[in-house]
Amino acid sequence: TRTAVVDMASHARAHAIPCALFRRHRTRASAWRRTAARANSALVPSPDVDDVVTMAPPPDDDVVTRRCALVAFVPYEKDSYLHYPEGIDGARFERAAPSYGEVWEHVARRVAWTDSTLSMEVVSHDASAADMARAAMNADVFVVIGCDDASVAKKIREACAGTPTGVALDSPALAGEDRVCYQPMDGLKAMEAKLIPWSQAARDVRSIDMVKDLFERKNHTDLYFMHLVLASASGIDVAAVDISQDITLGNVWCIGKNCNKQLRACYGNPMCKKSLDCVDACGLNDQVCTYQCIRSYENDEFEKLARCMLHSHNCLGNNAVRPEFPRVSPMQTFRGEPLTHSMAECILQGWFGPKKYSWIAVAGNNDAFDAFPNQYQIWYPGKAKNSFWYNPVFRVNTLDGRTVWRRSDYRCRREDAPGTFTFSFMDNGVTSQEYWRIVDAADDLSWSLYYYSGAAKSAGQAYIGAILATPDGLWPADDQLDRIADSLWRGCGIKIWEMIQVDNSNGEDAPLIPLHEVVLADSLVVSVPGG
């Protein structure tokens, strides 16, 4: 016992310096991953979909690398609060919901994909005290989920005694264990944060409050982001979290010098003021929250202000980069033939011509962008040479109780490989670029699956997502679901329970009008082999 206490004390001392030091000095490294190689006629498996993530040494000897190790304690075999899409017969699955173990193992994988300086180990509540201590010995951050058993709480508390930063969620048996760099997040800390809102204490309290809010939203996107927030609070640089969003003297000077007219116009418009207040309450790094704000209170004054502040002058100094992992490839063949650029564009065009739209989204992966009701996709070639457009139309249930239709206007450009595209657009004053891939599609165009990764550079936001679409917005036939689940997982690194089912009711009045002159290509709908 004495040896264990000495080890814990040594561990605590070892982490005390990094907590202080790496809040000032932050760097990153790279990773390599073992390749999964199973064949499929059209699907190209992602080389990053593997249960083992192995970290490589830093590429340069003179680079100081600070890795952050997380450990999560979960009720491994218990059904989690996430669920399978409602439109799929539950009898297809072995259990009512994915287990906490499956969910957190996948979160660990996604955390490593997002930032190579991060790693995470998942430990069951049923693990022995020795196994818990081993897992936590070198951890910088702990996360506890659903602990209401005093004996389990005792093991976790002892194992994490030397872990600097952590939080216990939905865990009444571990009340009072939340801390950031050994500083308890108690009433005194909250009082200090209120008295000195610009202090480190205030930032720490805001981080823990954000973690708890993200957890309570009960969706996979915010669950994974929650762990990044904790890693950032521990002192590691996490680009997805540490975007510039605080107003500094430099920000104020940039905005005042370049955007004073637009700012005054915004404050004179109640809807624009709502947009600003809503986004400010979210924080720019909270994509789900901020995008709901922007689409709820959409107005010209906000767009002009955002265009000036972010697009024209980048007053916040952000520089988001499109996510690199997981690496996702386009399908290689369609209807038994090698996929060509023209064929890929015809798959996107889909049912446009016979219908007023190309596809209707059935389910999407990103809670910020893919969860809106009634998502009509309209892809088409334009009049200008080599022009190709994407005009999604979707319904928004606004934060103030209205129902409105919104649309976007993407310019699409072919990339080198058939089935890959760069989409560029301006959304409410913020310019984004997205890299899209056609991952898979049925020969009869009864469904198609797309993956995208993108970045709103000056807003500091990077993101990924996937969309499954059909001609009628309903799930494909049951005999197609195994192939779709396989394409999602091996092709995109996405679990079927990460797909958010779209509400496609009440879409009859959608404004399905293309924003550019349409010059349709020959439709693949009328040339189905044997049809």
Side-chain angles (χ1 to χ4, degrees), residues 136-184:
M137 180 57 67
N138 294 310
D140 302 279
V141 174
F142 70 84
V143 181
V144 185
I145 305 297
C147 180
D148 54 9
D149 184 286
S151 62
V152 173
K154 182 177 183 293
K155 291 189 295 183
I156 294 174
R157 187 178 291 110
E158 291 176 351
C160 296
T163 306
T165 299
V167 66
L169 301 166
D170 195 21
S171 298
L174 284 165
E177 291 298 318
D178 301 345
R179 56 181 178 263
V180 175
C181 284
Y182 298 109
Q183 299 299 309

Side-chain angles (χ1 to χ4, degrees), residues 153 195 222 242 367 478 498:
L195 291 173
D222 288 321
D242 296 335
D367 284 276
D478 190 69
E498 291 184 281

Side-chain angles (χ1 to χ4, degrees), residues 229-458:
V229 173
L230 272 173
S232 177
S234 77
I236 193 75
D237 180 16
V238 181
V241 179
D242 296 335
I243 66 174
S244 176
Q245 52 186 337
D246 294 329
I247 297 300
T248 65
L249 288 177
N251 301 147
V252 172
W253 174 258
C254 177
I255 296 168
K257 178 183 177 182
N258 301 297
C259 309
N260 187 47
K261 176 182 176 181
Q262 292 86 341
L263 184 62
R264 284 188 285 108
C266 181
Y267 273 95
N269 181 321
M271 195 65 77
C272 189
K273 181 65 164 53
K274 281 186 177 182
S275 298
L276 285 179
D277 291 343
C278 188
V279 170
D280 183 61
C282 295
L284 278 179
N285 56 11
D286 188 342
Q287 294 181 11
V288 175
C289 185
T290 57
Y291 201 66
Q292 185 68 39
C293 292
I294 290 169
R295 284 303 194 176
S296 288
Y297 305 122
E298 199 167 293
N299 59 88
D300 289 343
E301 284 75 16
F302 182 85
E303 179 177 353
K304 291 174 182 176
L305 176 61
R307 182 182 300 204
C308 181
M309 286 177 54
L310 302 178
H311 174 72
S312 299
H313 300 287
N314 194 12
C315 287
L316 298 184
N318 289 311
N319 186 27
V321 178
R322 176 174 58 82
E324 182 181 358
F325 297 105
R327 289 165 289 181
V328 177
S329 299
M331 62 189 298
Q332 297 295 291
T333 62
F334 183 70
R335 296 179 180 173
E337 300 291 335
L339 187 70
T340 65
H341 287 290
S342 296
M343 195 181 296
E345 289 179 350
C346 286
I347 292 173
L348 293 179
Q349 179 181 298
W351 293 80
F352 191 23
K355 298 179 180 291
K356 294 182 179 180
Y357 54 83
S358 302
W359 300 91
I360 302 177
V362 177
N365 170 250
N366 190 303
D367 284 276
F369 311 122
D370 301 339
F372 291 105
N374 304 109
Q375 298 174 43
Y376 292 89
Q377 301 174 316
I378 306 175
W379 272 291
Y380 56 93
K383 183 177 180 180
K385 184 179 180 181
N386 297 325
S387 64
F388 198 79
W389 302 96
Y390 175 40
N391 298 152
V393 177
F394 52 96
R395 186 160 53 91
V396 176
N397 297 320
T398 67
L399 295 171
D400 56 357
R402 296 170 294 126
T403 297
V404 296
W405 287 100
R406 303 299 194 200
R407 65 173 69 203
S408 296
D409 187 18
Y410 294 73
R411 182 186 298 273
C412 310
R413 185 183 74 246
R414 294 176 180 178
E415 287 298 333
D416 292 339
T420 62
F421 302 85
T422 291
F423 290 7
S424 56
F425 69 109
M426 179 170 284
D427 190 349
N428 287 276
V430 179
T431 301
S432 298
Q433 279 205 335
E434 298 176 353
Y435 181 43
W436 283 62
R437 282 134 284 187
I438 304 175
V439 179
D440 204 354
D443 283 353
D444 61 358
L445 293 188
S446 59
W447 60 269
S448 55
L449 176 64
Y450 312 103
Y451 178 91
Y452 63 86
S453 58
K457 182 178 179 180
S458 58

Side-chain angles (χ1 to χ4, degrees), residues 510-523:
L512 303 177
I513 302 173
L515 298 177
H516 306 273
E517 186 171 348
V518 178
V519 182
L520 288 177
D522 292 338
S523 176

Side-chain angles (χ1 to χ4, degrees), residues 9-78:
S10 299
H11 177 61
R13 286 194 297 272
H15 283 283
I17 294 176
C19 270
L21 173 61
F22 287 101
R23 274 180 163 161
R24 299 190 299 270
H25 185 80
R26 300 175 169 188
T27 57
R28 60 180 47 205
S30 61
W32 64 272
R33 294 160 174 81
R34 284 180 11 183
T35 300
R38 285 192 290 168
N40 183 287
S41 57
L43 177 71
V44 178
S46 169
D48 304 303
V49 178
D50 196 351
D51 288 334
V52 179
V53 178
T54 308
M55 303 303 298
D60 301 311
D61 292 338
D62 59 344
V63 174
V64 177
T65 303
R66 170 74 168 117
R67 302 196 191 285
C68 180
L70 297 87
V71 59
F73 299 92
V74 304
Y76 208 91
E77 297 299 331
K78 184 179 177 181

